Each structure stands twice: as structure tokens, then as C-alpha cells.
Amino acid sequence: MLKNIDLKVFNKDNRKELIYTCNELKDILEFKDWEIIVFDDDNIIGFSITQNIGNKSDKFHLNKNNIYCFNKDNENDNIRKLFKEKKVLFIGNDENVSESELYIPLFMNKDNHKALIGTLHLTGGGIAFDSLIKNLEDDKISMLVEKISDKYAIHYISSLEEQYFKNFIHLIFEIINEKDPSMRSHPYNVAYLSNLLGQTLGFPQERLEKLYMAALLHDVGKLFIDSKILNKKGILTDEERKEIQKHSEYGYNILKDILQKNNSISGIEDIVLQHHERFDGTGYPNRIKGNNILLESRIIFIADAVDAMLSRRAYREESSIDNVISQIRMNAGKQFDPKLSRLMINILVNNKRMENMILEEPLLLGTLVVPQLNGVKNIQGTLIKKNIGYEFKININDLKKNGDSLVKAPEGVFYTQSKGMVYEYDVKIINWEDNNIYLSDISPKPSANFFSMSWEIEGNLILGKNIGSGVTINKIGGDSLSFYLEEEDADNIDFDNVNAIIIKFDEEKTLVQGEIIRTIKIEDKTYADFKFIGIPEATRDIIFRQIFRKQAELKKRAKDLFEE
């Protein structure tokens, strides 16, 4: 079994000593650079860690763009040779290679045998092979290699435990999704809203991460609730309601056992236990009141309620933002913390304000999607605001192409874009006349998706096994993203064959698997929604961290501008 180590106490000094020892060994063996290639627990991929740029002796630089894929079928793959032989591997300088390389395997004692957990990779060597062999036989070199293995093992254990926990979360969510498919994106929306509130309250990064994990796992106790109760469309009986209310205690018991060895996020079981306590003391399971309820639990409670109201459930339709705001105001000081209620209303109002501001424009280019007998039809045109209602003028080309075949539906959905963001509105159609469609009502489509910051990131589509066109990703969430590309590029793509996307964050590239569930042509661009399928929790965690980092940057930039 792996021994658990408190990395909070040991981490900095251990890192510093590991880096110092790697540098010492590099200099003795006369190499220019070093890196430790980190293996995943399946020994399929890895990435390198090196001394931090700027030579800060107690920091690592994690190069996740430099990903190693260990090719089982390639006998010439150096890492594959290392796995097979578990011995030092020397790549000498010859007519094809100007400088030599050295791979030193790093081991850890595990279950009474030595497990290979990584390799120290030295590059830029000029020393002759015979001299190198003589140096490697020196007792001091052996001691340095053993020391590097021991120090690196501590980091490996930490990352392994973190990965096991994330795999556990993924497994839990797969089971919950089977029991209640409508809740697939719910934990991520709650985590996102919770962190928005946490950032507004000035939580430090470590506290934000704990809040995020607690929000992500707040409903883990529903594992023990019958799916028939979770998906019931009618009114719950008293017995069924009492059974659902037990999920907070179930969640506490599950997490208490799992997290007792994980110091970085221990305590989230208490947050989960209290996430249905009401501010007036009438909640469950322990009827705690006011500020005696953990602040994180109060945050998750209101975030949970907001996402539930904005989402469609088996027993009701989604609510409008106006109705959600009214419910929060009505229950501030009763159900919800009054201060958190004000902060949440500000978040919702800002979201609603942007959607309504778009509609104030006198003319809007966009796409009207109307239901037809055999699906839907996308119609390009211009939305014109009138004294009463709106008029949608169909583009001439679209009219020629679709005019005679259009079924005159009484409702539809209007899409427009501003600064790369797509906005979606429900519309009521009162009349069709030639190339004009008259609308009596247009309102923002209720949505629990708050991952709509204006943030343009480069990406690449993956079609089968091939890297396809570059795209601009403009919206990212816990279970989906949106992107757009130029019309001429879109015409050459079979969107049905897109099975993954590479997201090019500033510090790293991340590959997510999934499928395109919708494409909309607006003006000269095609916008698409891409739904994630079966992505690991580690990947989802990277996405959330990047979103929160970007939010923090924008917040700091706004503060700096204000102070100027």
C-alpha cells in the first residue's frame, strides 16, 4: 500500500532538495539540461517537469504541452525500452546525433517490489560512453539517483492520490447520470455559480478549490436514493420527500471515509452535510440557523436552487431569470443568506442585462430557426425592432432557396451574435407575409449555462484520427463548449465526423472527446455547440481551473483600470 504523506508540510523543502539534487547530478555527469518524465498510472502517457523558468530553486515548471505518448508497437521508442528493461538507457552521440542523452529510471517501493514511476532524462551530453559508465558506478552517483527517486516518489504519490480521487468522482457521476440523466450538467453549474460567489467574497485560491469540490459533490448522497423517486414527475409523498432529504447525510458518510487521508480537501464532507440547511433554521438535516451554517454550505445552497430553477426537470419546466430573481428576493433571510441573495441577484441581473441590451438594437443580423414537419429550418435574415413587436426580413438567397417549402410555424428560436457570443431567444410568430415574418414576443431563452464569458481561445477539430480545421472557441462549460469558424472553412467539414477538439489554453493543450449537437449559421460564420462525452474528471478539472483563472484575470484587470 502507498503511505500517505502530508504534502502541505513537506512540499516546498522536498521540491527544493529534489531540484538541487537533479542539478548536482547533471553537472557531475556533464549534461546541459534535465527533466523528469512523469508517468501516468497506466504508463500510457506522460509529461515533463523541469526547474522553473527564472531558476527559482523551489518551483517546478510543468510542461504539459510536451506530452509523451509511449508507443507499445515501436521498438525504437526510448521510453518503451525503459519500461521493458528497467535499466539506465544511454543514447550516444554519433553521425546522426550530435549530443548524447541519458534516461535514468526512478523507482518506488510498492507492495514489496520496486515500481517504475518515472525517469530522469538528461540531455546535451558530450562525455564519452566509457567515462559515463565509470561515473555511474561511483557510490556518490548511486546515492544521488536514490535520493532523486525518493524525493520524486513523494510528488508521484500525491498526484496518484489526486488522480484516484478524480477517477472516483467520474465514476460517481456516471452512476448518478444513469439514475437521473437530467442532472448531468447540474453539479458543474452549481460549482461554477458557487465559485462566482466565492470570488466575489474574496476567497483565496485554496478555499475556492475546496468550495468547487464540495459543490461538485454536493449531491453524491443521491447514489443511495431510488431512481424512481429522483425521476418522479408527480408530487412526492411525505415518505419519498424524507428519503430524498437523507442524501445530505448519505453524502457526508461517503465523503468522510474517502477524504480522511486527503488533507487538501478534507472538510468538504461537513459542507455537503449542511448544504440544505436554511437561513431561518427550518432546513435539514440538523435545522441549523443563520451564520451557524458554514458559509460554503450557504453558497452551495443558493447556487443549487438557482440552477434547479433555471433547468428543466422531470416534474416542471425551467423558470425565467425574472422569476428566479423574484424567488431569491422573496426568500432572502428565510431560505437564503441575505448577503448571498444580493450577490446572486447581481450575477443574474448582469446576465439578463446583456441579453436585453442586445434586443435594444434597432437592427440585428441573425438566424431564425423554425420547426418543420421533417425537422427544423434555419433562415438567415435581419430582425427589425418596431413600435409594436418585431419584423424578421428573410435574406433574398434564403427566400429563393426555402420560400415555397417553408411551413409557417407559430413559434421559433432567434439566434444572433455579439463579440463572438451567441444569444438565443424564444419567439412567437403572428404572421408570415412574403419575405417578412412578424413576431409578437421575443424573450431570452431560459438557461442554466453561465459559462458565457467573452473568451476567444484557439482550437482544432479532430475528425476520426486526423487533426482538422482551426476554430475559435468562445464558450466553455463543464459539459460542453461552443466554437465558430468562417463559412468557407465550415463548408469543407463533415460536422458529423467531429469526435474531439483540442483546446489551446495559454499554458497547455487539452483534448476533449464528444460530438457536435448543433450548428447555426449567422452572417458569414458557422457557430457550433460541442457536447463532451466520457471525458476524465482530470480534464474537466483543467477546464474549470482555466475558467476561474481567466475570471480572476478579468477581475484584476477591471480593478486596476478602476484604480487608474
Side-chain angles (χ1 to χ4, degrees), residues 157-187:
I157 292 169
S158 173
S159 64
L160 207 60
E161 288 179 344
E162 183 179 348
Q163 188 59 51
Y164 286 158
F165 183 65
K166 288 173 181 174
N167 289 341
F168 159 76
I169 294 175
H170 177 70
L171 177 63
I172 291 297
F173 285 168
E174 288 298 309
I175 297 171
I176 292 176
N177 289 335
E178 285 293 320
K179 292 171 74 73
D180 189 359
S182 67
M183 300 290 281
R184 177 172 291 274
S185 62
H186 174 67

Side-chain angles (χ1 to χ4, degrees), residues 458-477:
E458 291 184 5
N460 278 103
L461 302 180
I462 304 292
L463 293 89
K465 296 182 179 179
N466 301 315
I467 297 179
S469 296
V471 297
T472 300
I473 299 165
N474 61 323
K475 188 162 110 176
I476 302 181

Side-chain angles (χ1 to χ4, degrees), residues 453 455 457 476 503 505-510 540-553:
M453 69 169 68
W455 185 16
I457 311 169
I476 302 181
I503 309 171
F505 292 116
D506 292 340
E507 297 91 354
E508 57 191 318
K509 297 176 184 175
T510 301
R540 224 183 292 262
D541 186 59
I542 289 170
I543 291 171
F544 270 92
R545 288 174 189 273
Q546 291 289 344
I547 291 172
F548 298 145
R549 180 189 62 79
K550 184 66 175 180
Q551 283 183 324
E553 284 180 7

Side-chain angles (χ1 to χ4, degrees), residues 439-456:
L439 314 176
S440 62
D441 184 45
I442 179 166
S443 57
K445 196 171 180 64
S447 172
N449 189 356
F450 287 84
F451 304 94
S452 55
M453 69 169 68
S454 183
W455 185 16
E456 296 195 339

Side-chain angles (χ1 to χ4, degrees), residues 96-108:
N96 297 318
V97 182
S98 59
E99 294 179 319
S100 58
E101 299 176 57
L102 187 67
Y103 292 86
I104 301 176
L106 302 176
F107 297 98
M108 179 182 72

Side-chain angles (χ1 to χ4, degrees), residues 274-289:
Q274 296 183 20
H275 83 275
H276 273 291
E277 300 288 359
R278 292 170 51 117
F279 200 76
D280 61 5
T282 62
Y284 62 85
N286 296 316
R287 300 177 71 86
I288 307 173
K289 186 176 182 179

